[in-house]
Amino acid sequence: MVDTSDQWIRERSGIIERRIAAPEESVASMATAAARQALEVAGIQPTDLKYIIVGTNSPDYVFPAIAIRVQHDLGLDDHLGAFDVQAGCSGFNYGLYIAERLLKPTGGYALVIGSDANSRMIDWTDRSTCVLFGDGAGAAIVGPTTQSRLIGSFIASRYNPKLSLATEFNHLNSPFLPSVATPKNYMYMDGPEIYKFAVNAVRDSIKRVLEVARMSREEIDFLIIHQGNYRILETGARFAKVPMDKVYANIDRYGNTSAASVPIAFHEALQEGKIKPGHKVVMISFGAGVTWAGNVVEWGTSSG
Ligand code: ACO
């Protein structure tokens, strides 16, 4: 479709293959599938949930929130609060940050999901974006446990439209009226500019999250970085002084799945036994907005 090559994509980004949602799938259906798995692993019932928080940048529609659709699909009534967080690829880390603070005074459980169908907002003739992004979802249950704990979190943002989907939305120009698509109807990304931001954001995230968790770099047992580009993972590892075998990478198989990237990576690292009981796991992300965020989890048992 575009003037590119497998070699260019592998060398510049580390991506070899990606997953694209099937026509009958949606951001909500992927989110619900991930939610069901998380509930099963945590061994709790959907009715135990107090909040559902979905990080997404590609909702199936503008409103109602995808989180409310997940609530409905899980068969839940109105005993809980469900809402979306739009924070670029940092949506899941933002969700963890929010969930912990919501639950602190009251207890109970929150379901935090990252779900994105990037393939549906990409211009497949734009080689600067169409080779990089994929679709997926991941989920976690946050709640009282004697095993795992969140030991530090931060969130940050700054206005920068160099990665955006800036379809204007007003009474004269509704993106929902039939029209000929213009470039503004698709995701736009200034790759080199966002690369520079990402490298700085990764460094700043590691620094900030270690500060709030009162940890040194030597105490990092495992590092999960948003899978935007393999070279960015290497930069993060160098800054954190962590060898690459302690940094999870699945960008080769999924590309950049935005808000789903961190929870998918966390889940696979657990399944592969790379995250072990007692490990301090640093999770950081950066994304459109621009946003960046981080959480440190001390992991308990195999189910958390
Ligand atoms: N195939 C072949 N050539 C390409 C392609 C492509 N798909 N895309 C760009 N090029 C060309 C460029 O036109 C340029 O050509 P020129 O030198 O003749 O002008 C050349 O390749 C080099 O382009 P750069 O953009 O400088 O390449 P770079 O090494 O910066 O890699 C990339 C590009 C992979 C996009 C990189 O900048 C990157 O990873 N950026 C950050 C992406 C990211 O992490 N985004 C996620 C943010 S998270 C979110 O919220 C969605």
Side-chain angles (χ1 to χ4, degrees), residues 3-5 8 12-13 88-89 127-128 131-133 163 189 191-192 194-195 226 228-229 231-232 256 258 286-288:
D3 180 17
T4 189
S5 66
W8 190 97
R12 297 289 178 128
S13 72
C89 302
R127 69 178 182 175
S128 66
V131 302
L132 300 173
F133 291 91
L163 172 50
M189 181 173 76
I194 293 299
Y195 192 88
H226 166 55
N229 186 316
R231 290 180 287 152
I232 297 172
N256 180 346
S258 293
F286 51 89

Side-chain angles (χ1 to χ4, degrees), residues 114-135:
S115 184
D116 267 309
N118 292 310
S119 64
R120 295 184 183 165
M121 52 184 190
I122 276 171
D123 174 358
W124 288 93
T125 66
D126 173 9
R127 69 178 182 175
S128 66
T129 52
C130 78
V131 302
L132 300 173
F133 291 91
D135 303 340

Side-chain angles (χ1 to χ4, degrees), residues 52 70 141 160 190 194 210 286:
I52 300 177
V70 173
I141 304 292
N160 179 341
D190 180 336
I194 293 299
L210 291 179
F286 51 89

Side-chain angles (χ1 to χ4, degrees), residues 122-189:
I122 276 171
D123 174 358
W124 288 93
T125 66
D126 173 9
R127 69 178 182 175
S128 66
T129 52
C130 78
V131 302
L132 300 173
F133 291 91
D135 303 340
I141 304 292
V142 181
T145 161
T146 51
Q147 296 152 354
S148 300
R149 64 193 180 106
L150 206 51
I151 53 180
S153 308
F154 86 95
I155 57 174
S157 56
R158 185 190 331 123
Y159 180 67
N160 179 341
K162 295 281 170 99
L163 172 50
S164 53
L165 200 173
T167 309
E168 273 135 21
F169 181 33
N170 59 42
H171 69 290
L172 294 174
N173 175 22
S174 165
F176 308 106
L177 295 174
S179 65
V180 177
T182 70
K184 276 200 161 180
N185 293 101
Y186 297 110
M187 183 200 295
Y188 152 78
M189 181 173 76

